Amino acid sequence: MENRRNYQYCLIGNPVKHSFSPLIHNSITELMGLSGEYGLNQVETDLSGEIKRLHSEKINGINITVPYKSDVMECLVSIDDIARAIGAVNTLKWTEEGYIGYNTDYRGLSREISEEGIVLKGENVLLIGAGGAARAAAFLSALDGAKTITILNRTKDKAQIICDDLKKYFGDKTPLLRVCGYDELEVLKGQKYIAFQCTKIGMHPDVDNCIINDKVFYSLLKAGIDLIYTPSDTMFMINCHSCGVKAYNGLKMLLYQAVEAYEMWRDVTVPQAVINEVYNRLRNKTKHSIVLVGCMGAGKSCVGKAIAKKYEIDFVDTDQLIEKKEGCKISMIFEEKGETYFRELEHNCIKELSESGRTMVISVGGGLPVREDNRDYLKKAGVVLYLKAKADTLAGRLVNDKDRPLLKAGKSAEHIQALLDKRGSIYESVADYIIETDNLNINEIVDKGGRLV
Ligand code: NAP
């Protein structure tokens, strides 16, 4: 049959459009000077029919993502033993008879931890969560010869099923297994653990959340691996660090599961220099834009610049952009052309930025969110962060500012309070995240807000 597709490798899932797989695979191909395109294939229904079509079109390699990692097992000519035991297939390799299924998630995790110098042999492993990712970590731990595996999960039955499957596969070579609820952490005392955080709690933009906050728990760890990769420093990792425990996110697991598939499909070894370059690209691509809103004096510019510098992304200030385009100060635009003219410039500015697709920190003028049709553009432009402060705090920060058109009447706390009364609830309604800045210094605000990148 004629090959209708413009790719030879692809990802199947639903949805697939936000996947980083094309970036990883196509970057490796480009950097290794090979050919072959990796594309996205969103499958709504009829997975089996689609797999058959792809096979007849000789699509060499397919990755499978949510929600098809177990359903796809029905559509294959054979399945690698360990993938069958894990109960999930994420990589298909074409053969004349049909596709063979593999699991490269656990291999990706294996390559990540070995790169970080973590050895599981003889160790006590702690798995937090009992979903698909935890299953991969559980089988890896048993394969690598962990001494014990403890699975902590909200639903203990699900953890028990993983234990049963481990016993079925590893027989008398199964590590000592234990299932535990989050209210039974006491039983963990007396041993040190390598912990894998395998729930989605703490994933961007829910960056302040963590499945376990008890410091005693973290003091029991030797190392912590969070399978989440956005934010780059999860709360789980921060908790580990605060107890002197080394911690890692799941970005290398994501990268290496793809590298493993790539190497299997094409029978090549991807050089480390290529892997490092793809990792840098991936790190940049997984960053999010942040939009800072708040009253004058909230610190949007200095916080924004500092976050942008720390995370190596662009900083854009809508007021400065407008001044540059118009060739004069905002105060002059107000005086000469009036506020309505300025608000239209602001509207066009946030619309353009939201449609640019760039990753950046955007500081917007205090009045910009007031116009209702700007708010969708704010949300589209990035995660909206409201730098909140009391009127007194804001007035104190503005003592030496001479360029505020709406403050000509005086920088009194009363005047700012009036602005806050009008705009505060709007900032709150549009914000994905709020930082109360009154008692924080700039570094503390940057640390907190920067985690949204
Ligand atoms: P999953 O199958 O949906 O499992 C989710 C787990 O999280 C379950 O154990 C579930 O507990 C627990 N959970 C969910 N909400 C909870 C809550 N409110 N309180 C307590 N526990 C809660 O997900 P998954 O596929 O295993 O993925 C888990 C995480 O790993 C995700 O963040 C995913 O992005 C990440 N991941 C990363 C990679 C990588 O390459 N780095 C690969 C795969 C997955 P119950 O059983 O009690 O419901």
Side-chain angles (χ1 to χ4, degrees), residues 66 69 105 112 128-134 153-155 158 182 197-201 203 211 226-229 250-251 253-255 257:
V66 180
K69 285 187 185 183
D105 280 334
E112 160 162 2
I128 306 166
N153 199 42
R154 180 178 60 179
T155 316
K158 277 203 209 163
Y182 295 116
Q197 199 299 115
C198 309
T199 76
K200 59 180 182 199
I201 308 292
M203 194 155 78
I211 192 91
D226 197 333
L227 270 59
I228 292 172
Y229 47 84
L251 195 61
M253 174 183 177
L254 177 73
L255 170 63
Q257 62 74 28

PDB file of all heavy atoms in Angstrom, residues 66 69 105 112 128-134 153-155 158 182 197-201 203 211 226-229 250-251 253-255 257, ligand 1:
ATOM      1  N   VAL A  66      -1.029   7.556  27.138  1.00  0.00           N
ATOM      2  CA  VAL A  66      -2.349   7.525  27.762  1.00  0.00           C
ATOM      3  C   VAL A  66      -3.432   7.773  26.710  1.00  0.00           C
ATOM      4  O   VAL A  66      -3.266   8.670  25.893  1.00  0.00           O
ATOM      5  CB  VAL A  66      -2.409   8.641  28.846  1.00  0.00           C
ATOM      6  CG1 VAL A  66      -3.752   8.662  29.538  1.00  0.00           C
ATOM      7  CG2 VAL A  66      -1.278   8.442  29.861  1.00  0.00           C
ATOM      8  N   LYS A  69      -1.892   2.437  26.881  1.00  0.00           N
ATOM      9  CA  LYS A  69      -0.714   1.612  27.167  1.00  0.00           C
ATOM     10  C   LYS A  69      -1.064   0.157  27.490  1.00  0.00           C
ATOM     11  O   LYS A  69      -0.249  -0.733  27.280  1.00  0.00           O
ATOM     12  CB  LYS A  69       0.105   2.209  28.316  1.00  0.00           C
ATOM     13  CG  LYS A  69       0.914   3.431  27.910  1.00  0.00           C
ATOM     14  CD  LYS A  69       1.839   3.864  29.038  1.00  0.00           C
ATOM     15  CE  LYS A  69       2.567   5.149  28.698  1.00  0.00           C
ATOM     16  NZ  LYS A  69       3.525   5.554  29.732  1.00  0.00           N
ATOM     17  N   ASP A 105       9.580   2.740  29.547  1.00  0.00           N
ATOM     18  CA  ASP A 105       9.471   3.650  30.701  1.00  0.00           C
ATOM     19  C   ASP A 105      10.405   3.189  31.823  1.00  0.00           C
ATOM     20  O   ASP A 105      11.136   3.966  32.405  1.00  0.00           O
ATOM     21  CB  ASP A 105       8.029   3.690  31.229  1.00  0.00           C
ATOM     22  CG  ASP A 105       7.144   4.603  30.393  1.00  0.00           C
ATOM     23  OD1 ASP A 105       7.678   5.537  29.759  1.00  0.00           O
ATOM     24  OD2 ASP A 105       5.916   4.366  30.362  1.00  0.00           O
ATOM     25  N   GLU A 112      18.094   6.898  33.965  1.00  0.00           N
ATOM     26  CA  GLU A 112      18.178   8.139  34.752  1.00  0.00           C
ATOM     27  C   GLU A 112      18.899   7.888  36.071  1.00  0.00           C
ATOM     28  O   GLU A 112      19.841   8.592  36.423  1.00  0.00           O
ATOM     29  CB  GLU A 112      16.779   8.713  35.039  1.00  0.00           C
ATOM     30  CG  GLU A 112      16.815   9.688  36.220  1.00  0.00           C
ATOM     31  CD  GLU A 112      15.671  10.642  36.384  1.00  0.00           C
ATOM     32  OE1 GLU A 112      14.708  10.604  35.608  1.00  0.00           O
ATOM     33  OE2 GLU A 112      15.756  11.470  37.319  1.00  0.00           O
ATOM     34  N   ILE A 128       5.903   5.824  46.182  1.00  0.00           N
ATOM     35  CA  ILE A 128       4.750   6.615  46.608  1.00  0.00           C
ATOM     36  C   ILE A 128       3.798   6.655  45.427  1.00  0.00           C
ATOM     37  O   ILE A 128       4.119   7.241  44.392  1.00  0.00           O
ATOM     38  CB  ILE A 128       5.190   8.036  47.030  1.00  0.00           C
ATOM     39  CG1 ILE A 128       6.277   7.946  48.088  1.00  0.00           C
ATOM     40  CG2 ILE A 128       3.995   8.833  47.524  1.00  0.00           C
ATOM     41  CD1 ILE A 128       6.998   9.244  48.330  1.00  0.00           C
ATOM     42  N   GLY A 129       2.633   6.006  45.572  1.00  0.00           N
ATOM     43  CA  GLY A 129       1.694   5.877  44.463  1.00  0.00           C
ATOM     44  C   GLY A 129       1.696   4.453  43.945  1.00  0.00           C
ATOM     45  O   GLY A 129       2.676   3.706  44.148  1.00  0.00           O
ATOM     46  N   ALA A 130       0.593   4.086  43.289  1.00  0.00           N
ATOM     47  CA  ALA A 130       0.486   2.713  42.782  1.00  0.00           C
ATOM     48  C   ALA A 130      -0.181   2.685  41.413  1.00  0.00           C
ATOM     49  O   ALA A 130      -0.908   1.756  41.082  1.00  0.00           O
ATOM     50  CB  ALA A 130      -0.283   1.849  43.789  1.00  0.00           C
ATOM     51  N   GLY A 131       0.081   3.726  40.618  1.00  0.00           N
ATOM     52  CA  GLY A 131      -0.447   3.767  39.248  1.00  0.00           C
ATOM     53  C   GLY A 131       0.554   3.152  38.284  1.00  0.00           C
ATOM     54  O   GLY A 131       1.455   2.391  38.674  1.00  0.00           O
ATOM     55  N   GLY A 132       0.422   3.507  36.997  1.00  0.00           N
ATOM     56  CA  GLY A 132       1.271   2.938  35.958  1.00  0.00           C
ATOM     57  C   GLY A 132       2.747   3.244  36.176  1.00  0.00           C
ATOM     58  O   GLY A 132       3.606   2.363  35.990  1.00  0.00           O
ATOM     59  N   ALA A 133       3.056   4.476  36.576  1.00  0.00           N
ATOM     60  CA  ALA A 133       4.459   4.860  36.763  1.00  0.00           C
ATOM     61  C   ALA A 133       5.072   4.074  37.925  1.00  0.00           C
ATOM     62  O   ALA A 133       6.222   3.620  37.854  1.00  0.00           O
ATOM     63  CB  ALA A 133       4.558   6.360  37.021  1.00  0.00           C
ATOM     64  N   ALA A 134       4.294   3.893  38.987  1.00  0.00           N
ATOM     65  CA  ALA A 134       4.782   3.134  40.153  1.00  0.00           C
ATOM     66  C   ALA A 134       5.041   1.676  39.768  1.00  0.00           C
ATOM     67  O   ALA A 134       5.998   1.055  40.252  1.00  0.00           O
ATOM     68  CB  ALA A 134       3.772   3.206  41.301  1.00  0.00           C
ATOM     69  N   ASN A 153       0.316   4.015  49.329  1.00  0.00           N
ATOM     70  CA  ASN A 153      -0.729   4.521  48.426  1.00  0.00           C
ATOM     71  C   ASN A 153      -2.012   4.797  49.184  1.00  0.00           C
ATOM     72  O   ASN A 153      -2.285   4.201  50.225  1.00  0.00           O
ATOM     73  CB  ASN A 153      -1.007   3.514  47.294  1.00  0.00           C
ATOM     74  CG  ASN A 153      -1.700   4.170  46.111  1.00  0.00           C
ATOM     75  OD1 ASN A 153      -1.336   5.277  45.730  1.00  0.00           O
ATOM     76  ND2 ASN A 153      -2.687   3.505  45.539  1.00  0.00           N
ATOM     77  N   ARG A 154      -2.770   5.752  48.638  1.00  0.00           N
ATOM     78  CA  ARG A 154      -4.075   6.095  49.222  1.00  0.00           C
ATOM     79  C   ARG A 154      -4.977   4.864  49.187  1.00  0.00           C
ATOM     80  O   ARG A 154      -5.593   4.502  50.178  1.00  0.00           O
ATOM     81  CB  ARG A 154      -4.663   7.248  48.383  1.00  0.00           C
ATOM     82  CG  ARG A 154      -5.990   7.746  48.812  1.00  0.00           C
ATOM     83  CD  ARG A 154      -6.415   8.900  47.939  1.00  0.00           C
ATOM     84  NE  ARG A 154      -6.513   8.544  46.511  1.00  0.00           N
ATOM     85  CZ  ARG A 154      -6.886   9.382  45.568  1.00  0.00           C
ATOM     86  NH1 ARG A 154      -7.183  10.634  45.880  1.00  0.00           N
ATOM     87  NH2 ARG A 154      -6.964   9.003  44.307  1.00  0.00           N
ATOM     88  N   THR A 155      -5.017   4.184  48.033  1.00  0.00           N
ATOM     89  CA  THR A 155      -5.833   2.981  47.893  1.00  0.00           C
ATOM     90  C   THR A 155      -4.901   1.771  48.045  1.00  0.00           C
ATOM     91  O   THR A 155      -4.161   1.431  47.114  1.00  0.00           O
ATOM     92  CB  THR A 155      -6.501   2.951  46.498  1.00  0.00           C
ATOM     93  OG1 THR A 155      -7.007   4.259  46.222  1.00  0.00           O
ATOM     94  CG2 THR A 155      -7.612   1.939  46.413  1.00  0.00           C
ATOM     95  N   LYS A 158      -4.723  -1.231  45.478  1.00  0.00           N
ATOM     96  CA  LYS A 158      -3.979  -1.080  44.216  1.00  0.00           C
ATOM     97  C   LYS A 158      -2.507  -1.406  44.428  1.00  0.00           C
ATOM     98  O   LYS A 158      -1.861  -2.010  43.569  1.00  0.00           O
ATOM     99  CB  LYS A 158      -4.104   0.353  43.705  1.00  0.00           C
ATOM    100  CG  LYS A 158      -5.360   0.619  42.937  1.00  0.00           C
ATOM    101  CD  LYS A 158      -5.113   1.820  42.027  1.00  0.00           C
ATOM    102  CE  LYS A 158      -6.383   2.575  41.773  1.00  0.00           C
ATOM    103  NZ  LYS A 158      -6.140   3.918  41.261  1.00  0.00           N
ATOM    104  N   TYR A 182      -0.947   6.310  53.928  1.00  0.00           N
ATOM    105  CA  TYR A 182      -0.242   7.543  54.326  1.00  0.00           C
ATOM    106  C   TYR A 182      -0.375   7.850  55.819  1.00  0.00           C
ATOM    107  O   TYR A 182       0.341   8.688  56.342  1.00  0.00           O
ATOM    108  CB  TYR A 182      -0.741   8.726  53.489  1.00  0.00           C
ATOM    109  CG  TYR A 182      -0.394   8.582  52.024  1.00  0.00           C
ATOM    110  CD1 TYR A 182      -1.386   8.464  51.059  1.00  0.00           C
ATOM    111  CD2 TYR A 182       0.929   8.521  51.618  1.00  0.00           C
ATOM    112  CE1 TYR A 182      -1.067   8.296  49.726  1.00  0.00           C
ATOM    113  CE2 TYR A 182       1.260   8.350  50.281  1.00  0.00           C
ATOM    114  CZ  TYR A 182       0.264   8.234  49.338  1.00  0.00           C
ATOM    115  OH  TYR A 182       0.583   8.059  48.022  1.00  0.00           O
ATOM    116  N   GLN A 197       8.706   9.117  43.856  1.00  0.00           N
ATOM    117  CA  GLN A 197       7.418   9.793  43.967  1.00  0.00           C
ATOM    118  C   GLN A 197       6.668   9.560  42.662  1.00  0.00           C
ATOM    119  O   GLN A 197       7.033  10.129  41.633  1.00  0.00           O
ATOM    120  CB  GLN A 197       7.653  11.283  44.245  1.00  0.00           C
ATOM    121  CG  GLN A 197       6.487  12.050  44.829  1.00  0.00           C
ATOM    122  CD  GLN A 197       5.219  12.101  43.986  1.00  0.00           C
ATOM    123  OE1 GLN A 197       4.179  11.560  44.378  1.00  0.00           O
ATOM    124  NE2 GLN A 197       5.278  12.710  42.840  1.00  0.00           N
ATOM    125  N   CYS A 198       5.621   8.727  42.704  1.00  0.00           N
ATOM    126  CA  CYS A 198       4.948   8.312  41.464  1.00  0.00           C
ATOM    127  C   CYS A 198       3.488   8.757  41.411  1.00  0.00           C
ATOM    128  O   CYS A 198       2.667   8.105  40.751  1.00  0.00           O
ATOM    129  CB  CYS A 198       4.999   6.794  41.315  1.00  0.00           C
ATOM    130  SG  CYS A 198       6.613   6.074  41.487  1.00  0.00           S
ATOM    131  N   THR A 199       3.111   9.822  42.123  1.00  0.00           N
ATOM    132  CA  THR A 199       1.758  10.371  41.944  1.00  0.00           C
ATOM    133  C   THR A 199       1.887  11.678  41.173  1.00  0.00           C
ATOM    134  O   THR A 199       2.992  12.168  40.951  1.00  0.00           O
ATOM    135  CB  THR A 199       1.064  10.676  43.295  1.00  0.00           C
ATOM    136  OG1 THR A 199       1.617  11.875  43.838  1.00  0.00           O
ATOM    137  CG2 THR A 199       1.236   9.548  44.291  1.00  0.00           C
ATOM    138  N   LYS A 200       0.729  12.233  40.779  1.00  0.00           N
ATOM    139  CA  LYS A 200       0.787  13.504  40.031  1.00  0.00           C
ATOM    140  C   LYS A 200       0.694  14.710  40.977  1.00  0.00           C
ATOM    141  O   LYS A 200       0.659  15.850  40.517  1.00  0.00           O
ATOM    142  CB  LYS A 200      -0.323  13.539  38.991  1.00  0.00           C
ATOM    143  CG  LYS A 200      -1.682  13.400  39.610  1.00  0.00           C
ATOM    144  CD  LYS A 200      -2.774  13.437  38.593  1.00  0.00           C
ATOM    145  CE  LYS A 200      -4.080  13.343  39.368  1.00  0.00           C
ATOM    146  NZ  LYS A 200      -5.230  12.973  38.717  1.00  0.00           N
ATOM    147  N   ILE A 201       0.650  14.452  42.285  1.00  0.00           N
ATOM    148  CA  ILE A 201       0.523  15.555  43.249  1.00  0.00           C
ATOM    149  C   ILE A 201       1.808  16.405  43.208  1.00  0.00           C
ATOM    150  O   ILE A 201       2.902  15.887  43.412  1.00  0.00           O
ATOM    151  CB  ILE A 201       0.307  15.027  44.697  1.00  0.00           C
ATOM    152  CG1 ILE A 201      -0.844  14.023  44.750  1.00  0.00           C
ATOM    153  CG2 ILE A 201       0.099  16.172  45.679  1.00  0.00           C
ATOM    154  CD1 ILE A 201      -2.202  14.572  44.488  1.00  0.00           C
ATOM    155  N   MET A 203       2.360  18.430  40.499  1.00  0.00           N
ATOM    156  CA  MET A 203       2.645  18.715  39.093  1.00  0.00           C
ATOM    157  C   MET A 203       2.162  20.128  38.748  1.00  0.00           C
ATOM    158  O   MET A 203       1.142  20.578  39.267  1.00  0.00           O
ATOM    159  CB  MET A 203       1.914  17.676  38.227  1.00  0.00           C
ATOM    160  CG  MET A 203       2.358  17.636  36.812  1.00  0.00           C
ATOM    161  SD  MET A 203       2.011  16.017  36.119  1.00  0.00           S
ATOM    162  CE  MET A 203       0.292  16.105  35.795  1.00  0.00           C
ATOM    163  N   ILE A 211       2.681  15.136  48.360  1.00  0.00           N
ATOM    164  CA  ILE A 211       1.897  14.034  48.908  1.00  0.00           C
ATOM    165  C   ILE A 211       2.207  13.818  50.400  1.00  0.00           C
ATOM    166  O   ILE A 211       1.334  13.495  51.178  1.00  0.00           O
ATOM    167  CB  ILE A 211       2.120  12.753  48.057  1.00  0.00           C
ATOM    168  CG1 ILE A 211       1.123  11.668  48.389  1.00  0.00           C
ATOM    169  CG2 ILE A 211       3.530  12.249  48.106  1.00  0.00           C
ATOM    170  CD1 ILE A 211      -0.103  11.711  47.556  1.00  0.00           C
ATOM    171  N   ASP A 226      11.519  12.138  41.898  1.00  0.00           N
ATOM    172  CA  ASP A 226      10.145  12.490  41.592  1.00  0.00           C
ATOM    173  C   ASP A 226       9.944  12.253  40.105  1.00  0.00           C
ATOM    174  O   ASP A 226      10.699  12.785  39.286  1.00  0.00           O
ATOM    175  CB  ASP A 226       9.876  13.961  41.947  1.00  0.00           C
ATOM    176  CG  ASP A 226       8.393  14.251  42.046  1.00  0.00           C
ATOM    177  OD1 ASP A 226       7.606  13.554  41.384  1.00  0.00           O
ATOM    178  OD2 ASP A 226       8.024  15.175  42.793  1.00  0.00           O
ATOM    179  N   LEU A 227       8.945  11.459  39.729  1.00  0.00           N
ATOM    180  CA  LEU A 227       8.741  11.180  38.299  1.00  0.00           C
ATOM    181  C   LEU A 227       8.156  12.375  37.555  1.00  0.00           C
ATOM    182  O   LEU A 227       8.186  12.445  36.333  1.00  0.00           O
ATOM    183  CB  LEU A 227       7.879   9.923  38.115  1.00  0.00           C
ATOM    184  CG  LEU A 227       8.715   8.630  38.035  1.00  0.00           C
ATOM    185  CD1 LEU A 227       9.550   8.403  39.267  1.00  0.00           C
ATOM    186  CD2 LEU A 227       7.849   7.439  37.750  1.00  0.00           C
ATOM    187  N   ILE A 228       7.631  13.336  38.340  1.00  0.00           N
ATOM    188  CA  ILE A 228       7.137  14.581  37.737  1.00  0.00           C
ATOM    189  C   ILE A 228       8.334  15.386  37.222  1.00  0.00           C
ATOM    190  O   ILE A 228       9.393  15.383  37.847  1.00  0.00           O
ATOM    191  CB  ILE A 228       6.367  15.396  38.810  1.00  0.00           C
ATOM    192  CG1 ILE A 228       5.072  14.678  39.182  1.00  0.00           C
ATOM    193  CG2 ILE A 228       6.109  16.822  38.357  1.00  0.00           C
ATOM    194  CD1 ILE A 228       4.339  15.295  40.357  1.00  0.00           C
ATOM    195  N   TYR A 229       8.149  16.088  36.085  1.00  0.00           N
ATOM    196  CA  TYR A 229       9.263  16.908  35.591  1.00  0.00           C
ATOM    197  C   TYR A 229       8.921  18.380  35.410  1.00  0.00           C
ATOM    198  O   TYR A 229       9.797  19.173  35.074  1.00  0.00           O
ATOM    199  CB  TYR A 229       9.847  16.333  34.290  1.00  0.00           C
ATOM    200  CG  TYR A 229       8.829  15.948  33.255  1.00  0.00           C
ATOM    201  CD1 TYR A 229       8.312  16.884  32.383  1.00  0.00           C
ATOM    202  CD2 TYR A 229       8.376  14.639  33.172  1.00  0.00           C
ATOM    203  CE1 TYR A 229       7.371  16.519  31.438  1.00  0.00           C
ATOM    204  CE2 TYR A 229       7.429  14.269  32.235  1.00  0.00           C
ATOM    205  CZ  TYR A 229       6.934  15.212  31.377  1.00  0.00           C
ATOM    206  OH  TYR A 229       5.988  14.860  30.448  1.00  0.00           O
ATOM    207  N   GLY A 250      11.783  13.901  36.966  1.00  0.00           N
ATOM    208  CA  GLY A 250      11.624  12.799  36.006  1.00  0.00           C
ATOM    209  C   GLY A 250      11.957  13.152  34.564  1.00  0.00           C
ATOM    210  O   GLY A 250      11.620  12.379  33.663  1.00  0.00           O
ATOM    211  N   LEU A 251      12.626  14.289  34.341  1.00  0.00           N
ATOM    212  CA  LEU A 251      12.862  14.691  32.947  1.00  0.00           C
ATOM    213  C   LEU A 251      13.801  13.736  32.219  1.00  0.00           C
ATOM    214  O   LEU A 251      13.611  13.447  31.036  1.00  0.00           O
ATOM    215  CB  LEU A 251      13.402  16.130  32.901  1.00  0.00           C
ATOM    216  CG  LEU A 251      13.348  16.788  31.528  1.00  0.00           C
ATOM    217  CD1 LEU A 251      11.923  16.894  31.017  1.00  0.00           C
ATOM    218  CD2 LEU A 251      13.993  18.167  31.538  1.00  0.00           C
ATOM    219  N   MET A 253      14.098  10.598  32.828  1.00  0.00           N
ATOM    220  CA  MET A 253      13.329   9.370  32.550  1.00  0.00           C
ATOM    221  C   MET A 253      12.575   9.540  31.233  1.00  0.00           C
ATOM    222  O   MET A 253      12.583   8.649  30.369  1.00  0.00           O
ATOM    223  CB  MET A 253      12.339   9.095  33.692  1.00  0.00           C
ATOM    224  CG  MET A 253      11.401   7.944  33.423  1.00  0.00           C
ATOM    225  SD  MET A 253      10.216   7.740  34.776  1.00  0.00           S
ATOM    226  CE  MET A 253       9.214   6.393  34.152  1.00  0.00           C
ATOM    227  N   LEU A 254      11.936  10.711  31.086  1.00  0.00           N
ATOM    228  CA  LEU A 254      11.193  10.997  29.855  1.00  0.00           C
ATOM    229  C   LEU A 254      12.124  10.937  28.642  1.00  0.00           C
ATOM    230  O   LEU A 254      11.796  10.337  27.617  1.00  0.00           O
ATOM    231  CB  LEU A 254      10.566  12.399  29.965  1.00  0.00           C
ATOM    232  CG  LEU A 254       9.823  12.893  28.741  1.00  0.00           C
ATOM    233  CD1 LEU A 254       8.494  12.165  28.598  1.00  0.00           C
ATOM    234  CD2 LEU A 254       9.567  14.393  28.815  1.00  0.00           C
ATOM    235  N   LEU A 255      13.284  11.563  28.790  1.00  0.00           N
ATOM    236  CA  LEU A 255      14.248  11.587  27.682  1.00  0.00           C
ATOM    237  C   LEU A 255      14.720  10.168  27.348  1.00  0.00           C
ATOM    238  O   LEU A 255      14.720   9.751  26.180  1.00  0.00           O
ATOM    239  CB  LEU A 255      15.435  12.476  28.080  1.00  0.00           C
ATOM    240  CG  LEU A 255      16.660  12.452  27.183  1.00  0.00           C
ATOM    241  CD1 LEU A 255      16.329  12.976  25.798  1.00  0.00           C
ATOM    242  CD2 LEU A 255      17.773  13.310  27.787  1.00  0.00           C
ATOM    243  N   GLN A 257      13.416   7.204  28.054  1.00  0.00           N
ATOM    244  CA  GLN A 257      12.462   6.225  27.504  1.00  0.00           C
ATOM    245  C   GLN A 257      12.382   6.402  25.991  1.00  0.00           C
ATOM    246  O   GLN A 257      12.230   5.437  25.245  1.00  0.00           O
ATOM    247  CB  GLN A 257      11.085   6.260  28.190  1.00  0.00           C
ATOM    248  CG  GLN A 257      10.270   7.558  28.101  1.00  0.00           C
ATOM    249  CD  GLN A 257       9.638   7.831  26.754  1.00  0.00           C
ATOM    250  OE1 GLN A 257       9.327   6.912  26.012  1.00  0.00           O
ATOM    251  NE2 GLN A 257       9.455   9.100  26.416  1.00  0.00           N
TER     252      GLN A 257
HETATM  253  P1  NAP B   1      -1.840   7.143  37.558  1.00  0.00           P
HETATM  254  O1  NAP B   1      -1.773   5.785  36.978  1.00  0.00           O
HETATM  255  O2  NAP B   1      -3.040   7.994  37.334  1.00  0.00           O
HETATM  256  O3  NAP B   1      -1.547   7.006  39.150  1.00  0.00           O
HETATM  257  C1  NAP B   1      -1.753   8.034  39.960  1.00  0.00           C
HETATM  258  C2  NAP B   1      -1.326   7.690  41.409  1.00  0.00           C
HETATM  259  O4  NAP B   1      -1.476   8.896  42.102  1.00  0.00           O
HETATM  260  C3  NAP B   1      -2.182   6.652  42.117  1.00  0.00           C
HETATM  261  O5  NAP B   1      -1.383   5.944  43.017  1.00  0.00           O
HETATM  262  C4  NAP B   1      -3.188   7.500  42.881  1.00  0.00           C
HETATM  263  O6  NAP B   1      -3.634   6.948  44.096  1.00  0.00           O
HETATM  264  C5  NAP B   1      -2.325   8.686  43.238  1.00  0.00           C
HETATM  265  N1  NAP B   1      -3.142   9.872  43.457  1.00  0.00           N
HETATM  266  C6  NAP B   1      -3.791  10.609  42.536  1.00  0.00           C
HETATM  267  N2  NAP B   1      -4.442  11.628  43.147  1.00  0.00           N
HETATM  268  C7  NAP B   1      -4.176  11.522  44.466  1.00  0.00           C
HETATM  269  C8  NAP B   1      -4.551  12.286  45.611  1.00  0.00           C
HETATM  270  N3  NAP B   1      -5.316  13.376  45.498  1.00  0.00           N
HETATM  271  N4  NAP B   1      -4.090  11.900  46.810  1.00  0.00           N
HETATM  272  C9  NAP B   1      -3.321  10.799  46.932  1.00  0.00           C
HETATM  273  N5  NAP B   1      -2.934  10.032  45.898  1.00  0.00           N
HETATM  274  C10 NAP B   1      -3.356  10.402  44.674  1.00  0.00           C
HETATM  275  O7  NAP B   1      -0.648   8.018  37.045  1.00  0.00           O
HETATM  276  P2  NAP B   1       0.747   7.510  36.469  1.00  0.00           P
HETATM  277  O8  NAP B   1       0.607   7.252  35.017  1.00  0.00           O
HETATM  278  O9  NAP B   1       1.254   6.437  37.351  1.00  0.00           O
HETATM  279  O10 NAP B   1       1.647   8.830  36.605  1.00  0.00           O
HETATM  280  C11 NAP B   1       1.997   9.328  37.871  1.00  0.00           C
HETATM  281  C12 NAP B   1       2.950  10.500  37.690  1.00  0.00           C
HETATM  282  O11 NAP B   1       4.149  10.049  37.078  1.00  0.00           O
HETATM  283  C13 NAP B   1       2.397  11.598  36.796  1.00  0.00           C
HETATM  284  O12 NAP B   1       2.716  12.828  37.358  1.00  0.00           O
HETATM  285  C14 NAP B   1       3.130  11.413  35.495  1.00  0.00           C
HETATM  286  O13 NAP B   1       3.304  12.633  34.811  1.00  0.00           O
HETATM  287  C15 NAP B   1       4.472  10.884  35.986  1.00  0.00           C
HETATM  288  N6  NAP B   1       5.159  10.094  34.939  1.00  0.00           N
HETATM  289  C16 NAP B   1       6.354  10.522  34.501  1.00  0.00           C
HETATM  290  C17 NAP B   1       7.032   9.815  33.527  1.00  0.00           C
HETATM  291  C18 NAP B   1       8.360  10.313  33.059  1.00  0.00           C
HETATM  292  O14 NAP B   1       8.803   9.900  31.979  1.00  0.00           O
HETATM  293  N7  NAP B   1       9.031  11.135  33.821  1.00  0.00           N
HETATM  294  C19 NAP B   1       6.471   8.650  32.993  1.00  0.00           C
HETATM  295  C20 NAP B   1       5.233   8.226  33.470  1.00  0.00           C
HETATM  296  C21 NAP B   1       4.579   8.966  34.444  1.00  0.00           C
HETATM  297  P3  NAP B   1      -4.916   5.961  44.127  1.00  0.00           P
HETATM  298  O15 NAP B   1      -4.418   4.652  43.639  1.00  0.00           O
HETATM  299  O16 NAP B   1      -5.322   5.939  45.546  1.00  0.00           O
HETATM  300  O17 NAP B   1      -5.941   6.566  43.224  1.00  0.00           O
END
